[in-house]
Amino acid sequence: MKINRRRRIIRTFNLLDQPIRFNPFVFSRTFFMWAITGLVGGVIAGLYWIVLEHFTAFLAEFQGWMVIPTMAICGLLAGLVIHFIGDPGEIHLIVNNIRFNKGKLEPKNNPSMILSSLFCVASGGSLGPEAPLVQVTGSTGTLLGKIFRLKGEELRSLSIAGMASGFTALFGAPLGGSLFSLEILHHKHAVEYYKAIIPALVASCFSYLMFALIIHLGIGATWDLKAYHYTGVYDFAYATAFGIIGTIFGWIFIFIVKFFKRIFEYRTFPIYIKTLTGGIILGVIAFYFPITRYFGHNEINQLINGNFALSFLIVVLIFKILAIAVTVTSGWRGGFIIPLFFVGTTLGLIIHQLFPAVDITLAIVSCMAAINACVTRTPMSTTIILGTLTGFTYFVPILFASLTGYFLAPKIPFIGSQSEKLSEE
C-alpha cells in the first residue's frame, strides 16, 4: 500500500511540474497567430484603400488633355521611387519567394511597392491594387512569423495567410482569396500548399472583418449585373462556348504583352524612362477613351449600365487590352485581375449585341472567368470570387467557363514562375 501511495504522489508531482494544457477545442496558439495576421492585413488594406481613394479623387480632377501630362508625371515619379528606393518586384517574384525562398517575403520592399503602386493605380493605370496588397500583407505575415519564431512550413503558411488577407480585403471573398493565394503559387498541383488553407481562411475572415470596419464595407455584389435565370443544361454549353471566346482573348492578351515586353526591353533604359513612356501612352489612350482609364472597379458598372454601340465596345476592348499590356510591360506596378474582368465584361456585352437571345449576365461572367483563368491559372478561386463580386450564385456555369480557360491556356504560363520546369527543380 505504501509503495502504491508513493507512486501516486510521484505521478501527481510529475503532472504538477508540467505546463497546464487544458484545451478542449481545436484552436490553439496558432489560431491566434493566423487571426493576428488577418487583423494586421485588414488594417493595412483599409489604410491603403483610404489613401488610394483620396489620391485618386485628387488626380481625377485633371481631365481632358491634362490627363496625358498627369499620367506621364505619375509614371515618372513611380519610376523614380523604384529607382532610388528599390525594385519591389512583381507577382513573379512573390511566387518564386514563396516556393523557393522558404516562404519568405521581404518587408524591405514594401515602401517602394506602396508608393509606386499608389502613383500607378491612382493616376489611372490599367492595373489594380490587388498585387501591391498581396505583396505587403504577405511580407507582413513573414515578419510576424519571424516574431513568433516560426520556421519551415509554418512560416510559409503564415506568409500565404498574409497574402490571402490582402487579396480577400479587396475582393470581399474569404474563401476565394484563400484559394487564390494557393492556386497562384503553382498551376499544376493546386493543393501543393494545402497545409496553408486553414491559416489562409482564418486570416482572410479576420482581414475582411477589419477591412469592412475601416471602410464601412457592405455585403453584396460589387457590379450591377441583371439577375440570371437558369434555363436548362444548354446553359453549360453556352458557358463553355463563351469560355472558349474568352480564352481566345486571353491568348491575344498574352501575346500582346510579350510583344510590348520585347519593345520595352529592346534597349536598356532606366526604369523611370520606361514608366514615363508608359504614362504618355496610357494618357493618350485615356484621353480618347476615358472609360479605359483606371483598373475597372467602377468602370465595369459604367459598361454594364451604359447603352454603348457595338463599334464603341469593340474599340474599347482593343484599347483596354493595349492599355493593360503597356501598363504591365512599362514597369508600372499593380495587379491585372480586375482589368481582365473589365475586358471580359466588354467581350460579354459584344457577344450579347451580336446575339441578343443570349443571356447577357451568363455571357459576361463566363468571359470574365475564362480570360482570368487562362492568364492566372486560378480556376477555383476565380469561380468563387466572381460569384461574390457579381452576385452570380450559380457556381457551376462559372466553373465550366473557368475550367475551359484553364485547360485551353498556353502551355507556357503567363506568370513565368508558375512554370512546370521550375516546379520540378
Side-chain angles (χ1 to χ4, degrees), residues 110-255:
N110 289 348
S112 177
M113 175 61 86
I114 293 171
L115 289 174
S116 61
S117 65
L118 282 173
F119 282 118
C120 296
V121 177
S123 63
S126 288
L127 289 178
E130 62 271 20
L133 285 179
V134 167
Q135 162 68 32
V136 174
T137 55
S139 61
T140 303
T142 299
L143 181 62
L144 291 173
K146 291 179 179 178
I147 293 173
F148 293 133
R149 297 180 180 179
L150 301 183
K151 295 181 180 179
E153 286 303 316
E154 288 186 333
L155 178 60
R156 192 195 309 273
S157 294
L158 204 62
S159 298
I160 294 173
M163 291 170 57
S165 70
F167 196 82
T168 295
L170 180 64
F171 287 96
L175 181 56
S178 303
L179 286 175
F180 177 85
S181 65
L182 300 181
E183 281 189 296
I184 197 69
L185 297 176
H186 203 212
H187 79 274
K188 188 178 181 182
H189 306 292
V191 293
E192 183 175 2
Y193 303 104
Y194 68 94
K195 292 181 180 179
I197 186 62
I198 298 300
L201 278 172
V202 173
S204 293
C205 289
F206 280 92
S207 171
Y208 182 63
L209 175 64
M210 186 58 62
F211 187 74
L213 288 173
I214 292 174
I215 69 167
H216 306 291
L217 183 69
I219 296 177
T222 301
W223 298 316
D224 306 326
L225 289 172
K226 295 180 181 178
Y228 164 74
H229 300 286
Y230 174 72
T231 58
V233 293
Y234 290 110
D235 281 7
F236 303 131
Y238 284 132
T240 304
F242 301 147
I244 292 173
I245 297 172
T247 304
I248 291 172
F249 278 86
W251 275 72
I252 292 171
F253 168 75
I254 291 172
F255 279 111

Side-chain angles (χ1 to χ4, degrees), residues 90-97 99-100 184-187 413-423:
E90 299 177 0
I91 191 68
H92 308 271
L93 182 62
I94 297 174
V95 174
N96 272 333
N97 283 341
R99 291 174 59 191
F100 305 119
I184 197 69
L185 297 176
H186 203 212
H187 79 274
F414 177 73
I415 301 174
S417 48
Q418 291 179 327
S419 175
E420 182 178 334
K421 291 183 180 179
L422 289 175
S423 65

Side-chain angles (χ1 to χ4, degrees), residues 352-424:
H352 178 69
Q353 291 220 14
L354 292 173
F355 307 99
V358 166
D359 187 284
I360 186 172
T361 300
L362 182 62
I364 289 174
V365 174
S366 298
C367 289
M368 281 176 150
I371 192 170
N372 188 66
C374 174
V375 174
T376 64
R377 311 290 181 98
T378 56
M380 292 187 293
S381 54
T382 294
T383 300
I384 298 171
I385 289 167
L386 277 177
T388 303
L389 293 176
T390 63
F392 196 100
T393 56
Y394 298 87
F395 282 149
V396 180
I398 311 179
L399 186 57
F400 269 67
S402 295
L403 290 174
T404 300
Y406 175 76
F407 285 110
L408 296 182
K411 189 172 183 180
I412 299 175
F414 177 73
I415 301 174
S417 48
Q418 291 179 327
S419 175
E420 182 178 334
K421 291 183 180 179
L422 289 175
S423 65
E424 292 172 351

Side-chain angles (χ1 to χ4, degrees), residues 281-351:
I281 298 172
L282 293 171
V284 172
I285 295 174
F287 171 70
Y288 287 103
F289 305 101
I291 200 169
T292 63
R293 192 182 180 190
Y294 301 110
F295 62 99
H297 184 75
N298 299 314
E299 289 69 29
I300 288 176
N301 274 334
Q302 294 179 26
L303 277 177
I304 295 171
N305 298 323
N307 188 20
F308 297 110
L310 177 61
S311 57
F312 178 80
L313 290 174
I314 293 173
V315 173
V316 166
L317 176 66
I318 294 170
F319 280 96
K320 187 62 176 180
I321 292 176
L322 291 175
I324 301 171
V326 171
T327 312
V328 169
T329 55
S330 63
W332 284 45
R333 292 296 184 262
F336 45 78
I337 294 174
I338 298 182
L340 287 177
F341 287 159
F342 180 97
V343 173
T345 302
T346 311
L347 189 57
L349 291 170
I350 291 172
I351 293 172

